[in-house]
Amino acid sequence: MANDIILHHYFNSPFSEKVRLQLAIKGLSWASVVQPDVMPKPDLTPLTGGYRRIPVMQIGADVFCDSAVIMAEIERRHPSPKTVHGVDWAANWWADRTFFTPTVGIIFGSIADTVTPEFIADREAMTGRPFDLAGMKAAIPPMKAQFRAISGWLETQLSGGKDWVAGDAPGLADIAWYLNYWFLNSAQRALMADLLSDLPRVLDWTARMRAIAKTRSFTETPTAEAIAVAKAAEPESTAHLVHDAKDPTGLSPGAKVDVFGDDNPGDRIAGALVAATLERIVIAREDPRVGKVHVHFPRVGFTAAPV
Ligand SMILES: N[C@@H](CCC(=O)N[C@@H](CS)C(=O)NCC(=O)O)C(=O)O
């Protein structure tokens, strides 16, 4: 268990589906730890230092927050088959943020009348912004138009003799785009089928992605076991984490920092900087339940501020 991939997630989380897909493409088995989808998350935050989003990956006493750094770490440890080609990260960022906006709008606009006050309050506390269901409901038609326009690009790509978003094999670009189709399909199956009914190559690609996802292999694991694994382990060697000597914010290893994401600035994760590389920010922290852990965040989208 010490070297196993532990995925803290829940099954209807679209950002977790990205990681589950990458693991499936690579044929890797993992331990599934199901966490709540609203706060509190008492068996997650001791590991992360307060980061509450899902997914989180844990390997021993190393904890990876955000799907981008999770997928980068999986690629580093298990390079074959290759799923990441350099600038795929740009597609991933765009799909998480820009493409995700119409997807979320269509879904929550469509189910606006059934969303609970507890869920709304939880998401407003997380983002610090109103969760504007009435606005989303009103904007369904233009958001559907955005979704169809983006899908039109994909239809054209798949018409060019390549089966996948970025070439001959499924990889990060497919995973990133598919997040949106997976989420819309899980929440509004008939709506998605109708929206894409004249885009047969996109529909065929979603079916092929679904088939890959079905090959996943995991073991259900209690939260207590994940906590015990962290407690028994030491963080792994940091030799591969090369601190950016030209870091424009002037950070140095050992500095006390707060780390926060630009889409969740209220949650500040405190620790001592291990390294701020071009790819990631890694901090060391301790918690009585999990002992010493290293917590990894992507560099893009996150800030480490000296305290
Ligand atoms: N940038 C993050 C976004 C993750 C995210 O927003 N996840 C959703 C679930 S799919 C979430 O955490 N929602 C709040 C919650 O579950 O508490 C990533 O790529 O992992």
Side-chain angles (χ1 to χ4, degrees):
M1 193 79 195
N3 294 316
D4 285 0
I5 293 174
I6 301 174
L7 187 64
H8 297 262
H9 70 137
Y10 44 86
F11 281 96
N12 63 358
S13 150
F15 285 88
S16 304
E17 184 65 7
K18 294 201 301 179
V19 177
R20 295 185 297 245
L21 260 169
Q22 190 197 28
L23 292 167
I25 291 172
K26 289 182 181 287
L28 296 168
S29 299
W30 42 283
S32 162
V33 175
V34 172
Q35 294 285 355
D37 63 0
V38 291
M39 289 295 272
K41 308 193 186 195
D43 289 336
L44 179 70
T45 47
L47 286 162
T48 62
Y51 181 87
R52 53 84 47 106
R53 288 188 186 245
I54 292 294
V56 167
M57 180 173 78
Q58 175 194 349
I59 299 177
D62 282 81
V63 178
F64 303 86
C65 299
D66 190 291
S67 60
V69 79
I70 294 174
M71 293 191 293
E73 181 67 11
I74 292 171
E75 188 77 5
R76 188 182 76 80
R77 288 175 185 251
H78 304 279
S80 179
K82 189 172 169 65
T83 56
V84 181
H85 300 87
V87 293
D88 284 0
W89 289 119
N92 183 60
W93 177 258
W94 166 84
D96 278 7
R97 302 284 179 123
T98 309
F99 188 6
F100 199 54
T101 301
T103 310
V104 167
I106 297 167
I107 293 171
F108 283 97
S110 303
I111 60 168
D113 300 335
T114 61
V115 180
T116 63
E118 291 76 23
F119 185 87
I120 296 170
D122 179 84
R123 292 311 192 253
E124 290 188 339
M126 177 173 84
T127 60
R129 290 191 307 269
F131 196 73
D132 180 11
L133 284 168
M136 289 192 241
K137 197 171 176 177
I140 291 175
M143 290 298 123
K144 281 183 172 174
Q146 294 302 306
F147 198 99
R148 270 179 63 74
I150 292 169
S151 300
W153 293 342
L154 183 54
E155 185 73 11
T156 304
Q157 159 67 4
L158 299 171
S159 311
K162 303 274 189 195
D163 276 346
W164 306 99
V165 174
D168 298 318
L172 176 59
D174 297 273
I175 292 169
W177 278 62
Y178 184 65
L179 149 94
N180 290 284
Y181 296 89
W182 182 88
F183 195 24
L184 186 56
N185 191 59
S186 340
Q188 297 285 324
R189 188 157 304 207
L191 185 156
M192 182 166 112
D194 180 53
L195 202 60
L196 302 176
S197 63
D198 56 347
L199 301 174
R201 291 181 181 83
V202 174
L203 284 174
D204 177 67
W205 168 83
T206 60
R208 286 184 280 119
M209 292 299 285
R210 224 171 358 259
I212 294 173
K214 284 210 174 110
T215 66
R216 71 190 181 191
S217 155
F218 63 86
T219 312
E220 279 170 33
T221 308
T223 53
E225 200 169 325
I227 300 269
V229 166
K231 182 87 180 167
E234 283 293 317
E236 287 189 357
S237 159
T238 56
H240 63 286
L241 298 171
V242 181
H243 181 73
D244 179 8
K246 279 171 62 72
D247 172 46
T249 62
L251 292 170
S252 312
K256 295 253 175 300
V257 291
D258 275 353
V259 179
F260 53 93
D262 65 1
D263 56 354
N264 191 10
D267 286 339
R268 304 215 155 211
I269 296 93
L273 189 72
V274 174
T277 75
L278 286 186
E279 182 187 77
R280 54 179 95 169
I281 296 166
V282 185
I283 58 171
R285 42 173 306 281
E286 290 200 38
D287 177 282
R289 287 182 64 206
V290 303
K292 181 176 177 191
V293 289
H294 282 175
V295 189
H296 304 235
F297 302 89
R299 194 78 206 258
V300 171
F302 284 81
T303 298
V307 287

